[in-house]
Amino acid sequence: MHDSQVFFELLSENTSKEVWADSAYRSEENEWMLKAGGYRNRPLNKRAQQSNRRKSRIRARVEPVFGSMENEMGGLFIRMIGRARAKTKIGLMNLVYHLKRCASLWKSRQ
């Protein structure tokens, strides 16, 4: 179960009036409940925006790789005995991802 489904149960343990959440938690119901509960929807300050921008550049390059492995290759849960076998499986998953990416880029050029 995703924690956005139990958002207000988690929020009930919050001792602060600040809530930091990403877009997975955004819905009309959540917005209404946050306003009713006295939580304010404030924009990020300049420093937090810069930090977020720096992290976003990395995430934008990394998350599609893990998303592809999770959705198309059976996930990232490795059930192996031995580190060498696990490293080999992860290496092969990386290789398959890059081969698929190369094929996709090659196809788009033609």
Side-chain angles (χ1 to χ4, degrees), residues 1 4 8 12 14 17 19-20 22 25 42 47 49 60 66 68 71 74 85 89 96 107:
M1 176 184 300
S4 65
F8 290 103
S12 67
N14 189 19
K17 286 291 181 187
V19 177
W20 295 81
D22 64 13
Y25 301 92
R42 294 178 297 163
R47 183 175 175 193
Q49 285 177 349
F66 288 107
S68 174
N71 296 327
R85 288 181 183 176
K89 181 174 181 176
V96 168
K107 188 176 181 180

Side-chain angles (χ1 to χ4, degrees), residues 1-15 19 25 29-30 33-34 39:
M1 176 184 300
H2 190 266
D3 53 351
S4 65
Q5 295 175 346
V6 289
F7 183 56
F8 290 103
E9 287 85 0
L10 294 171
L11 203 55
S12 67
E13 299 171 10
N14 189 19
T15 58
V19 177
Y25 301 92
E29 179 187 2
N30 286 351
M33 292 289 283
L34 286 170
Y39 295 99

Side-chain angles (χ1 to χ4, degrees), residues 21-100:
D22 64 13
S23 61
Y25 301 92
R26 177 155 274 164
S27 70
E28 286 185 35
E29 179 187 2
N30 286 351
E31 293 285 333
W32 183 81
M33 292 289 283
L34 286 170
K35 285 182 183 175
Y39 295 99
R40 288 183 263 153
N41 186 12
R42 294 178 297 163
L44 295 174
N45 62 31
K46 195 74 164 171
R47 183 175 175 193
Q49 285 177 349
Q50 290 172 342
S51 173
N52 210 20
R53 188 174 299 117
R54 192 174 55 249
K55 293 173 187 173
S56 293
R57 289 181 184 147
I58 295 168
R59 287 182 183 138
R61 297 187 62 93
V62 172
E63 286 182 0
V65 177
F66 288 107
S68 174
M69 288 178 180
E70 187 69 35
N71 296 327
E72 300 166 9
M73 297 182 209
L76 296 171
F77 187 72
I78 310 289
R79 279 187 91 148
M80 306 247 162
I81 296 176
R83 188 174 184 178
R85 288 181 183 176
K87 284 174 72 174
T88 301
K89 181 174 181 176
I90 292 169
L92 288 172
M93 288 172 71
N94 287 334
L95 179 64
V96 168
Y97 172 80
H98 287 294
L99 288 172
K100 287 173 63 176

